[in-house]
């Protein structure tokens, strides 16, 4: 691994920008002023920001590489390779793929999830950034529990998110809201009538969901894997998952839930697309408001990888948020939430995960280079290499 020296940049160190050079040796950030090896590759970051790499705690945009159209699928290695390129180009050096394990057949089935994880294990050594998995377990999918148990016993860099979209789907169906029925059925490879019939069978076992959640939470605590509760609807939901060991509220559906989580010192995750678009497409709390008020601590790409960099830009430009605070939402805080002590900051002895970007306060600012563990994963501007030795 060739040493890399990033010269002349404005480096985000703790909460301040400093003019400094950053040396990465064997994938690790070295102390400032360390001796530079003669064979170091030099990148000229003059008039640019040098920032810690982005950590994405929840993103499922990879599904579009697997199934870009209903009933049109591509091989997993090909899809993962394209996903990897998109991540690197958007400054994401650590990505937790939101892999849904559902009772549904098709794209989000248990079989599809197992195949995805096995394929990722085969190819991840050839990918440019750090790919991890957030198991989005649909709590009605009892058949997935044995598989989760097996995965938790393996060194797979996981997190577990407790999902209950089944209850919300039931509320919509009961209210006669079938606006998304065709989408659900198509994703599962079923007719609308077949989907409703299958859903009814799943809903009939709702009385056993509590015991299933307890079982998975017990296994997850024992493994030390981070736990997230997804789409908490009430304060009692958050309290229940807190009692099970979940200290991350992912996309809480009311301000009071986010406030309660923060009062307990817990991280709250909101969607970066929500910030970029100026609001939620599902009438959830406005993420920018939550972040600026201290109720949101982590932004996730959710369904759109470019949104993380763009959300930091918008917080700086439209909400006058300091760079360090805005960037912490996509780097330092998510790394802390996911218990990744080796990244999310530019400090000696941490991973050489770096983003070189134009000034985020400028219109049209872009990422010009991404380094993952001291290796160039993306380079948009060859001029950065002008001072190569």
């Amino acid at each position: 691994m060739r040493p890399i020296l990033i010269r002349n940049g404005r480096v985000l160190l703790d909460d301040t920008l400093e003019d400094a050079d950053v040396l990465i040796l064997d994938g690790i950030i070295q102390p400032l002023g360390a001796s530079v090896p003669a064979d170091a590759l030099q990148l000229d970051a003059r008039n640019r920001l040098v920032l810690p790499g982005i950590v994405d705690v929840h993103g499922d945009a990879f599904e579009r590489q697997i199934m870009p159209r209903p009933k049109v699928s591509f091989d997993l290695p090909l899809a993962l390779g394209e996903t990897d390129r998109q991540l690197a180009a958007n400054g994401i050096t650590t990505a937790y793929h939101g892999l849904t394990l559902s009772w549904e057949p098709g794209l989000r089935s248990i079989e599809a999830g197992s195949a995805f994880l096995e394929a990722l294990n085969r190819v991840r050594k050839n990918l440019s950034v750090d790919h991890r998995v957030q198991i989005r377990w649909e709590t009605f999918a009892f058949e997935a529990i044995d598989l989760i148990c097996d995965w938790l016993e393996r060194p797979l860099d996981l997190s577990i998110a407790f999902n209950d979209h089944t209850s919300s789907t039931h509320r919509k169906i009961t209210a006669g809201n079938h606006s998304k029925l065709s989408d659900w059925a198509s994703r599962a490879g079923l007719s609308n009538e077949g989907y409703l019939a299958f859903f009814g069978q799943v809903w009939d076992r709702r009385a056993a969901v509590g015991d299933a959640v307890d079982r998975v939470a017990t296994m997850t605590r024992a493994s030390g894997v981070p736990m997230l509760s997804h789409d908490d609807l009430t304060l009692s939901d958050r309290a229940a998952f807190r009692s099970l060991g979940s200290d991350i509220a992912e996309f809480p559906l009311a301000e009071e839930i986010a406030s309660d989580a923060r009062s307990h010192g817990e991280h709250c995750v909101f969607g970066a697309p929500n910030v970029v678009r100026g609001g939620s497409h599902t009438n959830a709390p406005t993420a920018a408001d939550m972040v600026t008020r201290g109720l949101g601590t982590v932004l996730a790409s959710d369904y759109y990888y470019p949104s993380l960099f763009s959300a930091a830009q918008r917080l700086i430009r439209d909400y006058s948020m300091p760079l360090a605070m805005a960037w912490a939402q996509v780097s330092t805080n998510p790394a802390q939430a996911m218990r990744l002590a080796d990244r999310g900051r530019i400090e000696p002895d941490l991973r050489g995960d770096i983003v070189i970007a134009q000034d985020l306060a400028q219109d049209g600012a872009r990422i010009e280079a991404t380094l993952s563990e001291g290796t160039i994963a993306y380079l948009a501007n060859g001029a950065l290499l002008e001072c190569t030795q």
Side-chain angles (χ1 to χ4, degrees), residues 50-85:
V50 180
L51 307 167
I54 293 173
V55 177
D56 186 11
V57 304
H58 169 113
D60 58 27
F62 71 91
E63 290 184 339
R64 286 198 293 275
Q65 277 67 257
I66 299 174
M67 187 180 286
R69 292 183 177 179
K71 301 180 182 179
V72 176
S73 299
F74 286 87
D75 289 342
L76 289 172
L78 176 63
L80 285 165
E82 175 57 24
T83 298
D84 183 63
R85 287 184 285 274

Side-chain angles (χ1 to χ4, degrees), residues 3 34 94 118 191 198 206 210 246 269 272 299 342 356 359 365 376 389:
T94 302
E118 296 300 336
S191 66
F198 189 59
R206 60 192 177 277
S246 168
V269 181
L299 291 174
D342 64 343
I356 301 175
D359 186 351
I376 296 176
Q389 289 185 342

Side-chain angles (χ1 to χ4, degrees), residues 244-311:
L244 293 173
S246 168
D247 58 1
I248 306 171
E250 182 179 72
F251 309 143
L253 294 178
E255 177 183 323
E256 65 177 1
I257 301 170
S259 179
D260 177 69
R262 295 299 296 132
S263 72
H264 285 83
E266 298 164 348
H267 280 286
C268 275
V269 181
F270 287 95
N274 185 318
V275 174
V276 176
R277 298 178 68 252
S280 169
H281 69 288
T282 61
N283 298 316
T286 301
D289 181 48
M290 295 293 98
V291 170
T292 55
R293 293 169 55 196
L295 299 181
T297 60
V298 174
L299 291 174
S301 75
D302 198 3
Y303 54 87
Y304 193 61
Y305 294 137
S307 64
L308 286 164
F309 184 75
S310 295

